[in-house]
Amino acid sequence: MPLPFDLAEATRYLSSADEKLATLIAETAQFHTDADAAQSPYEALMESIAYQSISGKAAATIFARIKTLSGNGRPPSPEQMLKLRTSTLRKAGLSGAKVLAMKDLARKTIDGIVPTRDQAEKMSDAELVERLDSVRGIGAWTVEMFLIFNLGRPDVLPIHDLGVKKGWSVTYGKKHMPKPKELLAFGERWRPYRTVASWYMWRAFERAGYATTNKIRPPKVKMIRRRKRAVILIKRRKSK
């Protein structure tokens, strides 16, 4: 699927706006997302639900089992999903929470809350976040991944993504991860190509390896907050 934006222009812009990012772009592979134009939002989000909180290998195995339930090699249609028994889906490897999420996704697809591919391509990022966030088990991060990897949107910055945050710390030589608000403010220099910059933060995270990235600490907590917490704890102890 061709990108809906000019990648050469995006990398030129980012390289001129950010020296550290320019080095990263020059040293790593070219940006790509392998977006599947044939995959509907319903199918993409069903796959995202299957992949939540487990390893990619385990998720791929489970999702392959789910696809066999349709009889045509694709994920079960919304109508099929609603007819499938919970016990059947649990036997395929889904948790109870994921079964509920997939069935809610199916209902909201039938109701028109989850848009078709054509509808999604005409909607803004904000509209899609609002619509899809209403589906059980679908949060902002899942919608962001859908915008990046399914629709190829150019200006998405997943400020809560661990890989992006740690990749940022590696790229800019920080011992701590950034707070979401800090990353959001920093990312203004990457607009309107924050998706491409985020993709390179993932590459930085991968290149660094776990031996390095495991040493990156959580975001800094201001000393004032720590002192306030300490004072509160002391007062509580005295009142007992």
Side-chain angles (χ1 to χ4, degrees):
M1 170 184 167
L3 291 170
F5 62 93
D6 188 332
L7 179 58
E9 172 57 29
T11 52
R12 276 196 301 269
Y13 176 86
L14 292 169
S15 295
S16 64
D18 188 326
E19 186 179 344
K20 295 279 190 182
L21 184 53
T23 301
L24 184 59
I25 290 171
E27 292 177 351
T28 51
Q30 186 181 60
F31 171 90
H32 67 278
T33 60
D34 295 329
D36 183 358
Q39 195 177 39
S40 68
Y42 164 75
E43 291 174 331
L45 292 169
M46 182 188 288
E47 186 171 6
S48 293
I49 291 169
Y51 273 74
Q52 288 172 355
S53 304
I54 59 175
S55 73
K57 186 176 181 180
T61 300
I62 291 169
F63 195 58
R65 290 180 195 145
I66 293 167
K67 287 195 287 187
T68 64
L69 299 175
S70 71
N72 62 12
R74 295 188 70 86
S77 69
E79 293 78 11
Q80 287 176 319
M81 177 55 67
L82 291 179
K83 290 178 182 177
L84 286 169
R85 292 184 177 181
T86 296
S87 58
T88 301
L89 293 167
R90 291 298 303 273
K91 189 176 179 180
L94 292 176
S95 66
K98 288 183 180 181
V99 170
L100 292 173
M102 286 191 182
K103 287 189 176 287
D104 190 48
L105 173 66
R107 286 189 203 94
K108 286 177 176 164
T109 299
I110 292 170
D111 292 342
I113 295 170
V114 177
T116 64
R117 177 83 188 197
D118 288 342
Q119 290 170 338
E121 288 177 347
K122 295 170 185 174
M123 296 170 70
S124 69
D125 292 358
E127 287 174 318
L128 284 165
V129 169
E130 185 177 356
R131 285 272 202 105
L132 301 179
D133 193 46
S134 70
V135 179
R136 183 182 185 126
I138 301 293
W141 180 87
T142 302
V143 180
E144 288 164 349
M145 296 304 105
F146 169 71
L147 291 171
I148 292 172
F149 294 105
N150 192 264
L151 294 183
R153 293 291 170 88
D155 196 34
V156 181
L157 176 57
I159 58 174
H160 298 285
D161 185 272
L162 186 66
V164 171
K165 290 191 290 185
K166 287 198 171 186
W168 180 89
S169 300
V170 169
T171 302
Y172 300 96
K174 306 293 185 181
K175 294 180 179 180
H176 295 79
M177 284 188 287
K179 295 176 185 176
K181 286 184 179 179
E182 181 184 357
L183 183 56
L184 185 64
F186 186 93
E188 283 300 309
R189 72 190 64 189
W190 300 332
R191 192 188 288 274
Y193 299 113
R194 292 180 296 172
T195 292
V196 180
S198 299
W199 189 89
Y200 280 105
M201 294 303 106
W202 279 316
R203 303 293 78 75
F205 170 74
E206 290 172 352
R207 284 205 315 166
Y210 289 113
T212 297
T213 56
N214 283 344
K215 295 176 183 177
I216 298 172
R217 301 168 194 163
K220 287 183 178 180
V221 178
K222 289 184 179 179
M223 289 303 295
I224 295 173
R225 289 184 182 177
R226 289 179 179 173
R227 286 170 187 162
K228 282 183 178 179
R229 287 174 187 167
V231 170
I232 291 169
L233 286 171
I234 290 169
K235 286 182 178 178
R236 283 177 181 172
R237 287 169 184 166
K238 286 182 178 179
S239 63
K240 287 181 180 180

